[in-house]
Every structure is written in structure tokens, then in C-alpha cells.
Amino acid sequence: MINKVGQIMLYVNNQDESVDFWTKELGFSVISEENNDQMRWIEVAPSKDAETSIILHNKEFVAKMSPGLNLGTPSLMFFTENLDQLHNELSSKNITVGEIVNMPSGRVFNFADHEENYFAVMEKSE
């Protein structure tokens, strides 16, 4: 099943200002940055070997891509070693589960709790 909270997805208006805040003001490091034609995200963490990181997403872009997503609060990205098995298990429990999507960083799906709070799960091997 889920083996850890891997990332916190933070939706920001200005990614560059957010990077400056997290790195210059709080001493975090940029772990990775992805910038392709579709989207840009920046991963920051308190250290290179931190177990959980923050992904800074462009709020305007995510709003267009996922219109129903609550961008006023951060989203949690859980990690699992067997995405297909977890997807099937949650689906069999009548939980609202999205389709598995191939992203540049790996395969992902989302699911919702009873209050329609959405969470994401990414396949990550330890």
C-alpha cells in the first residue's frame, strides 16, 4: 500500500519568488527542476537526503489542467511501490479513484476522501 508521504505539492503564483523564499529565507535546497513545454515544477527540501520534499507548481497552469482541484491548500503526494495493486485495492473499496497517468516523473493516480479532498499517489521504488 502507501509507504510514505513523499511530496507536498504547493500551488504558487510565482515559482521563482517561492524558490527564493524556500532557499534564501529557510535554507532549503533545490533538489530538482523540471521544465518542459507542458509544465514547470521545482522540488525543494530541507536537505538533499530529506524523505519528504515540496513541489512548487504554477497555480495558474494547474488550475487550467485540473479545474476542480482546490489550489488554496497544498496537496499530498504519497509514494507506493506497487501502483497497480494500490489502484485496484482502492477501486474495489468504492473510493473515487482517477486513471493512472504517465508523467515525466513516473506513473501517478489520484483518489478522493469522503469530503472530496484529492490526494495523489506516485509509484516509487525505495
Side-chain angles (χ1 to χ4, degrees):
M1 297 255 348
I2 294 170
N3 57 2
K4 73 175 173 180
V5 175
Q7 298 170 335
I8 299 163
M9 296 176 287
L10 189 60
Y11 308 106
V12 299
N13 293 314
N14 186 316
Q15 288 172 299
D16 294 321
E17 285 180 1
S18 292
V19 168
D20 285 349
F21 171 78
W22 288 101
T23 58
K24 294 178 181 172
E25 302 297 327
L26 294 176
F28 281 43
S29 299
V30 173
I31 305 300
S32 68
E33 183 169 351
E34 187 73 34
N35 193 0
N36 59 43
D37 294 337
Q38 296 176 346
M39 66 187 309
R40 174 184 180 214
W41 70 90
I42 303 126
E43 181 178 13
V44 297
S47 66
K48 298 271 186 204
D49 58 351
E51 295 225 357
T52 304
S53 60
I54 297 172
I55 306 295
L56 303 172
H57 283 286
N58 179 297
K59 188 183 282 189
E60 183 179 345
F61 179 82
V62 175
K64 290 177 187 171
M65 191 174 75
S66 302
L69 192 62
N70 177 1
L71 302 178
T73 60
S75 295
L76 300 177
M77 171 78 78
F78 296 104
F79 289 168
T80 185
E81 292 181 2
N82 191 328
L83 195 76
D84 296 301
Q85 178 183 345
L86 180 59
H87 188 270
N88 291 336
E89 286 177 19
L90 296 181
S91 297
S92 72
K93 294 178 181 177
N94 292 321
I95 294 173
T96 300
V97 178
E99 295 295 318
I100 294 176
V101 177
N102 290 313
M103 301 290 287
S105 54
R107 296 183 331 132
V108 179
F109 73 87
N110 62 24
F111 66 94
D113 66 10
H114 297 297
E115 295 184 9
E116 296 188 10
N117 295 304
Y118 277 82
F119 306 95
V121 181
M122 178 182 289
E123 190 166 50
K124 279 261 201 211
S125 297
E126 290 296 319

